[in-house]
Amino acid sequence: MLRFLRNRLNNNLDRGDLKMKVSQLLLPTLREAPAEAEIISHQLLLRAGFIRKSAAGVYTLLPLGLKVIKKIEAIVREEMNREGAQEIIMPIIQPSELWQESGRWNVYGPELFRLEDRHGRVFCLGPTHEEIITDLIRNEVQSYRQLPLLLYQIQNKYRDERRPRFGLIRGREFIMKDLYSFDRDEAGLEVSYQKMFNAYRRIFERCGLYFRPVEADSGAIGGSDTHEFMVLAETGEALLVFCSQNDCGYAANVERAASPVKKRVDFEEPGLLEEVATPGKRTVEEVTLFLNVEPQKLIKTLLYETEAGYVAALVRGDRIINQVKLQKALGVLRCDLADAEVVERLSGARVGFAGPVGLKDLRLVADLEVMEMANAVSGANKDDAHFINVNPGRDFNPDQVADLRQVQAGDPCPICGSDLEEARGIEVGQVFKLGYKYSKALGANYLDEKGASIPICMGSYGIGVTRTMAASVEQNHDQNGIIWPVSIAPYQALVVPINTREDEQFILAEKVYELLLNAGVEAVLDDRQERAGVKFKDADLIGYPLRLIIGKQAVESSNIEVFQRKNGQTITVPLEQIVSFVKDYCRQI
RNA sequence: CGGGAUGUGGCGCAGCUUGGCUAGCGCGCUUGCCUUGGGCGCAAGAGGCCGGGGGUUCAAAUCCCUCCAUCCCGACCA
């Protein structure tokens, strides 16, 4: 009896949650995309009625948008729990004191939303939760017996982006899953890291995404090893390189990718350092054309402003400097190109004529490749003049030599030496080995078997949930709209009565709809008094994986047309088999 | 934060250069008729502080100043 009641209750609950007719859904589709939407995922999510903008980088999730988010969250939860992680929820509002303690209050900069309560106490809206969780752990974990520990939450995050853009891809408020691992030592961290790495693979696979993990830079969060999970897409903000040799497997964010230097092969006799007039020739292109030399013969000199003073950085003329590498090499937090006025004061010449020879009062850092150059051209630190036959070591000596240049397609792979290829990616997840940065700063220690107090070894692991939804659209769409993978589709199937005035069609449609609901399929019935064309257009736009069409044919023959959004094909399924067909379809994908 | 652009019914736009009728068009919305397998047709409607404030002028969507918002490019970031 009890079981019977419980079953009934469950059925009712399920039905209540699932049952929905399009006429009652808040599903405002648009024929035209709002002008502000630039990229396809933003346009389609707006047009299909999944999201609406509230402010720059801040969005409301409408019913269907929320359904997708919940699907993604459910997959994330399953895979986190499978690895033994425990879910918690931490506050969005965080006291500034903790951030002072970790040292990030001043480091994080204007990106941190800061606010004050009525008593003048200062808080921030959490962009990430290392401080809060480390504070929790230092209070609650004392013994090695309590480790390892994996804790996560799915929570709103806040970052006051300089430039929110691309809709959900770069918002100021977004949903993120963040997990933190706590281990006794690096060996334990390695295990946790691998667990998460594998879980992330499964999550993005289950979300139907084409992605790649790549080596990455650790940025402001700090730490050593880190990988980013990149959904490959033309509109991705990140530039990646990967090895063209399939079995090599090297892949990295260009911010991180190391660039091995090809040693100089042909030795050149050093010529005489000489100043030549280059009136008005400021850019690499102008100078090379004027002097009739190749760009790789030029030494490009860029002046940067850092919190530790001004720096001159040198790279070859045909190279791009990688600011992340530069920042790391210099060990500074801030690193911006100096403005024209500063350049003039420091180099004694207008912008475009700075060079390493005779540059004073500046820290000089050269790219590895620059040191291999011979008889190069550089600015003379004098208006309208360049030096020729500049030779590193003879004419100037940098204070530091480091890998500064940004890797490009065609460069050799640092592992196997094959050519590197470029691609763009949307970062949907990142795994970090934090090490002891936060546990030491905040004093999160445990006692080992011998009673020694040892800092906890930490890792942190993020997934941008809202971003994952957008990335999926970016990857799964056609001219007509979104093509959701079944695993994260807002509904699995749409039932469309073609002519709602034909009672028989409508009754059959309702019957099919009920059959699906009873079988646990997430279905929706388009009961609107609209022409078939309108319903089809909306259905394509919204991206339901399956569309069951109930028209004349269905009524007469009890055969139902099933349109598959993914491949655009329609097949006919007898009414008796329709439920099992839909269930099988949803399972197999 | 620097550079550029744009703000006119829910969405997409015109009008602004050269100030002047009642501010237009397409889509959407409401009502009626009609139609019903890919955004159907006809008719009648509703809906605007022309981003805000200030100025110039007899008169401002239109010219000037200022603020705000939004988008793009750059610099930064998960």
Side-chain angles (χ1 to χ4, degrees):
Chain A
M1 186 61 189
L2 199 63
R3 177 176 296 166
F4 169 74
L5 279 177
R6 193 182 298 139
N7 283 346
R8 247 184 66 158
L9 198 63
N10 283 345
N11 279 343
N12 286 344
L13 280 177
D14 285 345
R15 298 255 315 253
D17 183 38
L18 291 173
K19 190 162 188 170
M20 187 47 74
K21 298 184 172 175
V22 174
S23 64
Q24 285 144 45
L25 263 179
L26 178 61
L27 182 53
T29 55
L30 300 171
R31 266 202 217 198
E32 289 174 283
E36 69 199 30
E38 185 80 356
I39 64 168
I40 196 74
S41 62
H42 192 192
Q43 292 174 350
L44 288 177
L45 288 169
L46 284 168
R47 280 190 57 207
F50 285 66
I51 61 169
R52 284 294 182 267
K53 187 177 70 173
S54 182
V58 182
Y59 291 84
T60 294
L61 293 170
L62 299 182
L64 263 58
L66 182 58
K67 277 189 171 292
V68 174
I69 291 295
K70 291 199 160 181
K71 290 277 182 82
I72 298 171
E73 287 181 355
I75 292 172
V76 169
R77 271 197 186 93
E78 270 184 43
E79 297 300 341
M80 292 295 105
N81 296 347
R82 194 195 300 275
E83 295 295 353
Q86 302 171 61
E87 186 170 5
I88 59 174
I89 285 204
M90 290 180 273
I92 290 168
I93 298 183
Q94 309 186 5
S96 59
E97 287 83 358
L98 281 176
W99 285 72
Q100 302 275 11
E101 213 177 330
S102 74
R104 283 209 294 182
W105 185 255
N106 296 321
V107 174
Y108 220 93
E111 202 138 290
L112 197 58
F113 271 109
R114 295 162 209 250
L115 65 154
E116 256 181 49
D117 70 8
R118 62 169 71 189
H119 309 294
R121 285 197 55 187
V122 184
F123 294 84
C124 64
L125 300 182
T128 171
H129 281 72
E130 281 83 3
E131 280 79 3
I132 296 281
I133 199 149
T134 309
D135 178 49
L136 176 79
I137 292 304
R138 72 177 162 184
N139 291 322
E140 309 306 330
V141 169
Q142 284 88 33
S143 159
Y144 71 94
R145 289 195 177 93
Q146 294 168 279
L147 300 176
L149 199 52
L150 301 172
L151 294 172
Y152 74 100
Q153 66 173 346
I154 299 177
Q155 174 64 290
N156 277 8
K157 293 280 189 286
Y158 296 84
R159 296 185 192 175
D160 194 359
E161 291 286 342
R162 285 179 182 205
R163 183 138 101 85
R165 60 181 152 172
F166 301 150
L168 257 30
I169 300 272
R170 179 161 300 272
R172 294 193 292 174
E173 176 181 84
F174 55 99
I175 301 170
M176 183 166 158
K177 185 283 308 184
D178 47 327
L179 181 145
Y180 304 89
S181 68
F182 302 90
D183 284 283
R184 297 185 61 172
D185 49 29
E186 274 98 352
L189 172 58
E190 184 59 38
V191 173
S192 296
Y193 192 83
Q194 278 313 319
K195 279 185 177 179
M196 284 302 120
F197 196 98
N198 295 333
Y200 275 34
R201 275 187 179 285
R202 295 196 301 269
I203 288 166
F204 295 123
E205 264 160 30
R206 288 183 62 186
C207 288
L209 293 166
Y210 177 48
F211 68 97
R212 262 195 112 113
V214 304
E215 292 182 14
D217 180 76
S218 56
I221 293 188
S224 51
D225 275 14
T226 174
H227 288 84
E228 291 167 334
F229 285 76
M230 294 286 186
V231 167
L232 300 185
E234 281 303 308
T235 45
E237 293 179 278
L239 187 60
L240 321 171
V241 288
F242 52 91
C243 184
S244 55
Q245 200 73 32
N246 271 342
D247 37 351
C248 169
Y250 178 77
N253 191 317
V254 291
E255 288 178 354
R256 152 84 184 201
S259 38
V261 179
K262 291 177 190 147
K263 288 282 174 192
R264 188 169 43 185
V265 275
D266 47 331
F267 181 79
E268 259 185 70
E269 198 63 45
L272 199 62
L273 183 71
E274 197 182 326
E275 186 184 311
V276 295
T278 50
K281 308 299 176 194
R282 305 173 45 224
T283 65
V284 170
E285 200 187 355
E286 286 165 357
V287 174
T288 50
L289 272 174
F290 184 75
L291 295 178
N292 195 25
V293 294
E294 295 295 306
Q296 51 264 41
K297 273 295 194 187
L298 249 71
I299 297 175
K300 192 155 64 175
T301 307
L302 297 164
L303 301 190
Y304 284 89
E305 188 177 348
T306 78
E307 78 269 13
Y310 292 102
V311 177
L314 310 178
V315 286
R316 228 168 67 175
D318 57 332
R319 302 302 193 189
I320 297 168
I321 205 155
N322 179 333
Q323 215 156 306
V324 175
K325 284 185 183 175
L326 176 63
Q327 216 161 314
K328 244 183 173 168
L330 295 170
V332 297
L333 296 168
R334 205 166 51 75
C335 183
D336 299 303
L337 267 177
D339 47 40
E341 175 261 331
V342 173
V343 173
E344 281 182 37
R345 181 161 52 81
L346 292 171
S347 72
R350 299 199 311 272
V351 175
F353 300 99
V357 183
L359 202 58
K360 291 184 292 286
D361 308 324
L362 269 180
R363 187 162 157 199
L364 194 60
V365 51
D367 179 56
L368 295 163
E369 213 172 37
V370 168
M371 302 312 287
E372 300 297 320
M373 295 171 75
N375 296 332
V377 175
S378 80
N381 298 316
K382 192 170 153 188
D383 280 350
D384 302 322
H386 278 75
F387 283 127
I388 57 170
N389 295 329
V390 176
N391 287 282
R394 183 190 73 178
D395 302 317
F396 68 92
N397 273 303
D399 302 296
Q400 189 180 355
V401 177
D403 175 13
L404 298 181
R405 59 170 276 243
Q406 180 149 315
V407 173
Q408 298 161 292
D411 283 349
C413 167
I415 306 287
C416 74
S418 308
D419 283 359
L420 289 175
E421 291 173 12
E422 280 180 6
R424 302 201 72 90
I426 299 167
E427 183 195 340
V428 288
Q430 185 160 18
V431 289
F432 282 103
K433 288 185 187 170
L434 289 175
Y436 303 101
K437 176 171 168 160
Y438 295 93
S439 51
K440 280 186 176 164
L442 297 178
N445 302 319
Y446 70 94
L447 293 179
D448 70 5
E449 294 91 329
K450 293 171 190 140
S453 183
I454 296 173
I456 298 175
C457 194
M458 291 173 56
S460 91
Y461 315 82
I463 289 179
V465 174
T466 31
R467 185 183 273 187
T468 297
M469 172 163 87
S472 178
V473 176
E474 207 62 40
Q475 225 172 43
N476 302 297
H477 68 269
D478 63 16
Q479 310 89 298
N480 297 319
I482 304 172
I483 306 173
W484 290 111
V486 174
S487 56
I488 61 172
Y491 287 97
Q492 296 164 341
L494 175 74
V495 180
V496 185
I498 289 299
N499 187 340
T500 39
R501 289 160 99 176
E502 298 283 342
D503 287 346
E504 285 184 315
Q505 287 185 24
F506 199 78
I507 289 165
L508 178 58
E510 279 201 301
K511 181 179 165 193
V512 170
Y513 170 63
E514 293 284 340
L515 284 173
L516 292 173
L517 289 189
N518 289 335
V521 173
E522 296 168 274
V524 63
L525 175 68
D526 195 345
D527 60 332
R528 294 176 299 169
Q529 304 282 322
E530 289 283 0
R531 295 165 61 88
V534 173
K535 296 184 183 180
F536 290 158
K537 286 285 183 193
D538 268 350
D540 284 342
L541 180 60
I542 291 161
Y544 304 99
L546 289 178
R547 183 150 88 223
L548 313 193
I549 301 163
I550 317 293
K552 227 180 268 169
Q553 196 192 102
V555 171
E556 284 163 10
S557 67
S558 280
N559 283 324
I560 293 171
E561 290 168 58
V562 181
F563 173 85
Q564 302 167 45
R565 183 69 179 88
K566 195 167 187 169
N567 58 19
Q569 287 174 6
T570 302
I571 52 174
T572 305
V573 180
L575 178 59
E576 315 81 69
Q577 291 167 29
I578 194 71
V579 168
S580 57
F581 175 85
V582 172
K583 291 202 81 160
D584 286 349
Y585 185 88
C586 293
R587 231 194 320 269
Q588 85 191 26
I589 295 181

